[in-house]
Amino acid sequence: MHFQAIYKPQTSLNTFTPTSTGSGFLAYQGSCSPADGRREMSSERQAEICSLLQNHGYRHRGFGHPSVTLTWSLALAGGGGISCVLQDGEVFEKAGVNVSVVSGFLSEEAARQMRSRGKSLKAKDGKLPFCAMGVSSVIHPKNPHVPTMHFNYRYFEIEEADGTKQWWFGGGTDLTPTYLNEEDAVHFHKTLKEACDKHDLKLYPKYKKWCDDYFYIKHRGERRGIGGIFFDDVDSPSKEEVFQFVKSCAKAVVPCYIPIVKKHCHDSFTPEEKLWQQLRRGRYVEFNLVYDRGTKFGLLTPGSRIESILMSLPLTARWEYMHNPPESSKEAEMLEVLRNPKDWVH
Amino acid sequence: MHFQAIYKPQTSLNTFTPTSTGSGFLAYQGSCSPADGRREMSSERQAEICSLLQNHGYRHRGFGHPSVTLTWSLALAGGGGISCVLQDGEVFEKAGVNVSVVSGFLSEEAARQMRSRGKSLKAKDGKLPFCAMGVSSVIHPKNPHVPTMHFNYRYFEIEEADGTKQWWFGGGTDLTPTYLNEEDAVHFHKTLKEACDKHDLKLYPKYKKWCDDYFYIKHRGERRGIGGIFFDDVDSPSKEEVFQFVKSCAKAVVPCYIPIVKKHCHDSFTPEEKLWQQLRRGRYVEFNLVYDRGTKFGLLTPGSRIESILMSLPLTARWEYMHNPPESSKEAEMLEVLRNPKDWVH
């Protein structure tokens, strides 16, 4: 079987600590074989992010509900993968990093969705074997002045009827603030732009726009956040060059986000600001469950690990009927940018 | 234009009180013309439910957040309709009743979904004019010992290329408790069964099973609640007979639910029970955004009124990574029934 993926954790899950370097704790065997570097990137990034999260979020102060305790959970996923989730920490309400490899046959619905993106997928006996691997993370802070951050970088491979393999990379990094802070928006986008510019000056403007288009909550007429970069189906100029680009993007995650966390995690906030954050978290849930490609793919794939897929959902969210912030309020200023995305760097 | 629907509120929205009887406050004109009784049923039911909600939920005690005040909102929907929402009352966290008429052309995606249910829809110049009208309600109480209740009854009409009209009724009433109470479950199902049995003894068992199958959160392997009745695409024996059946179901809503509310709305509860309720509300959101036919249809229909469609979402919800209730707990007992639905009446 061509697409079987086996995970061999080389240290016991019980002794794994998120502060260890990622290299070597995860071994991958199988013939869905992109450069080895890809899994290294995934596991290194995961260890780096987990370590940072732990350093910033380990003090539990029981916000929200006394029975909820701080938990770092590690789980070997059914499809092959490791999820690392921090819940109800002092700085982060919920933060997860997930490395996964899934393989099997595309569901009809998943194939239909890919064809609708322009792929010609010729099935063999009605079946399309696939393999996907990636790293993803969503970080929902407690303080409404610290934005939510999401990134995901993934590699996808499909074997067609004649044995040829289609492959592509996809992913991106994006920011979802509760309140707009222009300085933070510029820092975030500038860091991503620098990562892109090392490879091709055309990439940042193209992927910035793609991000604004992709994270669009159509039924609300709003973007989920203030964007970042997003791309999918990228299969040129060469596998190696795309991989180097993806590595640069993944390496930019920490410098584009952590300074913003440090800057605002002790900002004071009002109950009204917390409430607005919870309403925005509701929109986050709407986007992820209704539109997100990765979530939809996961929900459609038999045997996929649902707790890892839905790790991206916030700890808490809120929906009020007909909530409309007053004109000229900070909340209205945020909405304006979600409705009409801005260019933050040129 | 065959499917234009016009609402003429005969009393001003400002002077409308939910305790008034519904008859006459809403007039409907147009040629999507099922028996007049249909809209009467809708508006009468709405007024009845609104009045009950108000009597039970009008005292505001600021639970959750001091800035949230009790609001009864009425809005004339874009597509034609009236939404009536109670938020943060003493008994009900969020409760809405919605009467609506939408018409226009089916989106391609909506037509595809209907065809996948076995309908042959021949389009005229690529267009399928439709008209839909219905009443729906979701009631999320505060107390975790009072279950959430949902009902929806709707009439759908599509005009095909040769001018023939396809019509059908759909709907149902279902209960979503946080904790299982067998006596309540029996009362709820028994009341629905009696309403069905007046028309045909085969209906309750068939629609009870359909309900368990429909409200299935596939990615969780759980039903949303303990069921009730559900049906769709019902177009026989005759329009009049189906309509009479639907009326009986709608009339059963109050007697099947309100006694349960009265019985438990003063039950004491622990913070842990409230937390479990919030996690179950998260599952409610998952079902509604990922699977619910009405919600999906609404999100796909251009110009539909999003606040009315998403009125069904709870005020607050919660997602914890890998939450598993201890064996033999009350929470595990609830899950067991959601995983393996029971017959409550025979």
Side-chain angles (χ1 to χ4, degrees):
Chain A
M1 154 66 171
H2 272 274
F3 286 84
Q4 196 174 14
I6 303 158
Y7 264 160
K8 287 191 177 174
Q10 293 185 340
T11 60
S12 147
L13 282 180
N14 296 329
T15 61
F16 169 71
T17 58
T19 46
S20 71
T21 67
S23 53
F25 82 84
L26 201 64
Y28 168 73
Q29 289 187 333
S31 63
C32 178
S33 52
D36 271 348
R38 226 130 21 231
R39 68 160 168 78
E40 278 169 26
M41 176 198 77
S42 295
S43 56
E44 270 174 28
R45 219 51 341 117
Q46 185 182 40
E48 182 185 16
I49 306 279
C50 285
S51 164
L52 276 159
L53 291 183
Q54 203 181 43
N55 290 339
H56 285 87
Y58 70 97
R59 285 184 305 264
H60 172 233
R61 66 174 192 209
F63 194 105
H65 201 280
S67 75
V68 180
T69 53
L70 171 73
T71 48
W72 267 107
S73 304
L74 289 171
L76 189 64
I82 288 190
S83 292
C84 199
V85 178
L86 170 71
Q87 208 161 268
D88 216 26
E90 187 168 352
V91 173
F92 301 113
E93 192 172 281
K94 193 168 167 194
V97 191
N98 190 41
V99 173
S100 69
V101 175
V102 286
S103 61
F105 298 101
L106 280 191
S107 70
E108 256 183 59
E109 182 60 22
R112 195 187 68 80
Q113 287 184 9
M114 284 179 184
R115 287 193 180 104
S116 77
R117 289 178 3 223
K119 296 200 179 295
S120 78
L121 298 173
K122 288 174 214 85
K124 189 180 185 173
D125 306 326
K127 286 183 172 176
L128 281 163
F130 80 94
C131 175
M133 54 177 69
V135 56
S136 67
S137 175
V138 181
I139 297 174
H140 294 292
K142 275 203 160 137
N143 191 312
H145 300 297
V146 184
T148 287
M149 191 272 292
H150 159 256
F151 76 90
N152 164 236
Y153 291 97
R154 58 186 180 261
Y155 172 82
F156 217 101
E157 207 174 270
I158 291 181
E159 188 177 336
E160 289 195 276
D162 61 2
T164 58
K165 281 179 184 167
Q166 284 201 38
W167 62 266
W168 67 91
F169 284 90
T173 305
D174 64 284
L175 201 71
T176 306
T178 297
Y179 289 101
L180 184 64
N181 179 307
E182 302 218 354
E183 196 180 73
D184 297 344
V186 170
H187 164 79
F188 185 79
H189 278 271
K190 199 163 162 270
T191 311
L192 291 174
K193 183 175 185 297
E194 282 163 6
C196 294
D197 284 357
K198 277 189 273 176
H199 299 268
D200 186 335
L201 292 176
K202 291 192 210 98
L203 297 180
Y204 171 78
K206 186 175 167 187
Y207 295 161
K208 192 271 178 191
K209 185 183 179 306
W210 201 338
C211 190
D212 288 334
D213 293 343
Y214 176 76
F215 290 102
Y216 183 55
I217 309 173
K218 198 178 167 190
H219 59 267
R220 298 285 190 182
E222 296 167 7
R223 276 90 207 149
R224 188 176 76 175
I226 60 159
I229 53 170
F230 179 86
F231 54 89
D232 206 354
D233 304 317
V234 176
D235 55 5
S236 70
S238 72
K239 203 183 271 192
E240 190 48 36
E241 282 170 275
V242 183
F243 179 47
Q244 291 305 323
F245 163 67
V246 169
K247 264 173 94 163
S248 294
C249 294
K251 276 192 179 156
V253 168
V254 168
C256 75
Y257 182 56
I258 295 300
I260 301 175
V261 177
K262 287 186 174 160
K263 192 173 145 193
H264 296 290
C265 67
H266 300 299
D267 287 5
S268 63
F269 58 88
T270 65
E272 288 72 24
E273 288 168 338
K274 187 69 189 168
L275 186 124
W276 173 243
Q277 179 203 55
Q278 292 297 299
L279 292 168
R280 298 312 309 168
R281 294 267 155 94
R283 301 297 168 94
Y284 210 91
V285 171
E286 287 178 31
F287 179 84
N288 287 23
L289 293 181
V290 177
Y291 301 105
D292 186 62
R293 217 170 261 187
T295 306
K296 280 172 109 164
F297 180 80
L299 297 183
L300 289 170
T301 303
S304 60
R305 188 170 181 277
I306 202 67
E307 287 289 345
S308 297
I309 296 163
L310 297 184
M311 189 178 86
S312 65
L313 299 179
L315 190 62
T316 53
R318 183 176 181 96
W319 285 267
E320 285 185 17
Y321 180 68
M322 295 289 286
H323 185 278
N324 289 312
E327 260 183 72
S328 311
S329 62
K330 287 189 299 168
E331 291 78 12
E333 178 195 41
M334 183 74 252
L335 271 184
E336 169 57 27
V337 170
L338 301 176
R339 286 173 183 157
N340 302 295
K342 278 177 74 169
D343 282 328
W344 298 101
V345 281
H346 297 278
Chain B
M1 154 68 173
H2 273 273
F3 286 83
Q4 197 174 13
I6 302 158
Y7 264 160
K8 287 192 177 172
Q10 292 185 341
T11 62
S12 150
L13 282 179
N14 296 329
T15 60
F16 168 70
T17 58
T19 44
S20 71
T21 67
S23 54
F25 82 84
L26 201 65
Y28 169 73
Q29 289 191 330
S31 63
C32 178
S33 51
D36 270 347
R38 224 124 31 226
R39 68 158 168 80
E40 278 169 25
M41 175 197 79
S42 295
S43 57
E44 270 173 28
R45 227 32 2 106
Q46 185 183 40
E48 181 185 19
I49 306 280
C50 285
S51 164
L52 276 159
L53 292 182
Q54 201 182 44
N55 291 338
H56 286 87
Y58 70 96
R59 286 183 305 266
H60 172 233
R61 68 175 193 210
F63 193 102
H65 201 280
S67 76
V68 179
T69 52
L70 170 73
T71 48
W72 268 106
S73 302
L74 288 171
L76 188 65
I82 288 190
S83 293
C84 199
V85 178
L86 170 71
Q87 208 162 266
D88 216 26
E90 187 169 350
V91 172
F92 302 113
E93 191 172 282
K94 193 169 168 193
V97 191
N98 190 40
V99 173
S100 69
V101 175
V102 286
S103 62
F105 298 102
L106 281 191
S107 70
E108 257 184 57
E109 182 60 22
R112 196 187 67 79
Q113 286 183 10
M114 284 179 185
R115 287 194 179 103
S116 77
R117 291 182 357 226
K119 295 198 181 297
S120 79
L121 298 172
K122 288 174 217 88
K124 189 180 185 172
D125 307 325
K127 287 184 172 174
L128 280 163
F130 79 95
C131 174
M133 55 177 70
V135 56
S136 68
S137 174
V138 180
I139 296 172
H140 294 292
K142 275 203 161 136
N143 192 311
H145 300 298
V146 184
T148 287
M149 191 273 291
H150 159 256
F151 76 89
N152 164 236
Y153 291 97
R154 58 185 179 261
Y155 172 82
F156 218 99
E157 205 174 273
I158 291 180
E159 187 177 338
E160 289 196 277
D162 61 3
T164 58
K165 283 180 183 167
Q166 284 201 37
W167 62 267
W168 67 91
F169 284 90
T173 306
D174 64 283
L175 200 71
T176 306
T178 296
Y179 289 102
L180 183 65
N181 179 307
E182 302 218 356
E183 195 180 75
D184 296 345
V186 170
H187 165 78
F188 185 79
H189 278 271
K190 199 163 161 273
T191 311
L192 291 174
K193 184 175 184 295
E194 283 163 7
C196 294
D197 285 356
K198 277 190 269 174
H199 298 269
D200 186 334
L201 293 176
K202 289 193 209 97
L203 298 179
Y204 172 77
K206 186 175 167 189
Y207 295 160
K208 193 272 179 190
K209 184 181 180 308
W210 200 339
C211 191
D212 288 334
D213 293 345
Y214 177 76
F215 290 103
Y216 183 55
I217 309 173
K218 196 178 169 190
H219 60 267
R220 298 285 190 182
E222 296 166 7
R223 273 92 208 148
R224 189 176 75 173
I226 60 159
I229 53 170
F230 179 85
F231 53 89
D232 206 354
D233 303 317
V234 176
D235 55 5
S236 69
S238 72
K239 203 183 271 190
E240 192 47 38
E241 281 170 276
V242 184
F243 178 47
Q244 291 306 323
F245 163 68
V246 168
K247 265 173 95 165
S248 294
C249 294
K251 277 193 178 154
V253 167
V254 167
C256 74
Y257 182 55
I258 295 300
I260 301 175
V261 176
K262 286 187 174 159
K263 191 172 147 194
H264 296 289
C265 67
H266 299 300
D267 286 6
S268 64
F269 59 88
T270 66
E272 289 71 25
E273 288 168 339
K274 187 70 189 168
L275 186 123
W276 173 244
Q277 179 204 56
Q278 292 297 298
L279 292 167
R280 298 312 309 169
R281 295 267 154 95
R283 302 296 167 92
Y284 210 92
V285 172
E286 288 179 30
F287 179 84
N288 286 22
L289 293 181
V290 178
Y291 300 105
D292 186 63
R293 215 170 263 185
T295 306
K296 280 171 108 166
F297 180 81
L299 296 183
L300 290 169
T301 303
S304 60
R305 189 169 181 276
I306 203 65
E307 288 290 344
S308 297
I309 295 163
L310 297 183
M311 192 178 84
S312 65
L313 299 179
L315 189 62
T316 54
R318 184 177 180 95
W319 285 268
E320 285 185 18
Y321 180 68
M322 295 290 284
H323 185 278
N324 289 311
E327 261 183 71
S328 310
S329 62
K330 286 189 300 169
E331 290 78 12
E333 178 196 40
M334 184 74 251
L335 272 183
E336 170 57 27
V337 170
L338 300 176
R339 286 173 185 155
N340 301 295
K342 277 176 75 168
D343 282 328
W344 298 102
V345 281
H346 297 278

